[in-house]
Amino acid sequence: MDLLFYDEGVSSVVTVATDTVDGNIWLANNGKIDASTISDMPTQVLVGHIPFVFQPLAEDILVIGLASGVTAGSVTTHCAPDSSGSCRVGRRSIEIVEIEPAIEEASHYFDNHNNRPLEDPRVEFFVEDGRNHVLRQPEGRYDIVVSEPPNPWISGVANLFTREFFALGKSRLKEGGQSIKI
């Protein structure tokens, strides 16, 4: 393994490394791998694409959890068609919320794999707690909410796996909105 990035962040220790045998780049929070360019790639990509099967005209999207940026980057590949069916990229608003500030820098090690979501002009990036971010939003704010935090045993994310949080997220969806939770 070649260590690419290491930071003892505010809420977790963030590590990015490359496997010298297969070239897999991985990101770990407190030692638990949360993203990679090989084994985790199908999940990371699908979580960003599946909501658009149900909401192809979605304009207001929230992604909770940045990690490698692959899920957020998958979201940025979708555009909101106008009434004629033409792709109107500028109509979409994408918010990405990440609790750990060090993840922003770590995510750039995946720029060749993640469509560079933080460079997309439609993206607004927030470094804060996902639950509190959702709590401050008005009801009916989003068409799609994608919540892809680390596993619940990782410090700071257990509140994103509660019945109360799912109800809160649902209340922030517009009528017909979709919430995808992995």
Side-chain angles (χ1 to χ4, degrees):
M1 146 182 112
D2 285 332
L3 183 64
L4 303 174
F5 178 84
Y6 176 87
D7 191 358
E8 295 180 20
V10 175
S11 64
S12 70
V13 174
V14 180
T15 309
V16 178
T18 300
D19 184 313
T20 57
V21 175
D22 64 10
N24 183 40
I25 302 171
W26 52 264
L27 179 147
N29 274 308
N30 289 336
K32 194 273 183 196
I33 295 176
D34 282 329
S36 69
T37 57
I38 295 178
S39 58
D40 294 303
M41 192 57 79
T43 301
Q44 296 168 126
V45 170
L46 282 173
V47 169
H49 289 305
I50 288 174
F52 293 95
V53 171
F54 302 100
Q55 286 290 6
L57 302 179
E59 293 184 4
D60 298 304
I61 296 103
L62 171 63
V63 178
I64 299 173
L66 176 63
S68 66
V70 171
T71 295
S74 294
V75 167
T76 65
T77 65
H78 295 270
C79 64
D82 61 19
S83 59
S84 69
S86 298
C87 190
R88 300 232 356 243
V89 173
R91 291 180 57 209
R92 178 149 293 137
S93 158
I94 304 165
E95 294 177 4
I96 303 171
V97 180
E98 172 60 52
I99 194 170
E100 175 50 57
I103 292 289
E104 180 178 6
E105 183 178 348
S107 74
H108 290 294
Y109 288 91
F110 295 84
D111 280 352
N112 290 334
H113 306 275
N114 67 13
N115 298 315
R116 300 176 185 261
L118 298 178
E119 295 175 12
D120 190 303
R122 299 166 297 163
V123 169
E124 190 170 1
F125 181 67
F126 298 88
V127 177
E128 64 181 328
D129 177 76
R131 181 190 165 279
N132 288 333
H133 183 84
V134 173
L135 189 61
R136 288 193 316 276
Q137 303 308 309
E139 290 190 8
R141 165 78 177 89
Y142 302 106
D143 294 299
I144 293 174
V145 175
V146 176
S147 181
E148 192 182 13
N151 298 85
W153 59 84
I154 301 296
S155 172
V157 297
N159 64 0
L160 299 178
F161 289 88
T162 64
R163 198 174 294 173
E164 292 80 10
F165 179 70
F166 292 130
L168 175 64
K170 185 176 181 180
S171 74
R172 296 323 189 244
L173 289 173
K174 296 176 185 175
E175 185 156 335
Q178 297 295 314
S179 178
I180 301 297
K181 172 75 175 98
I182 296 297

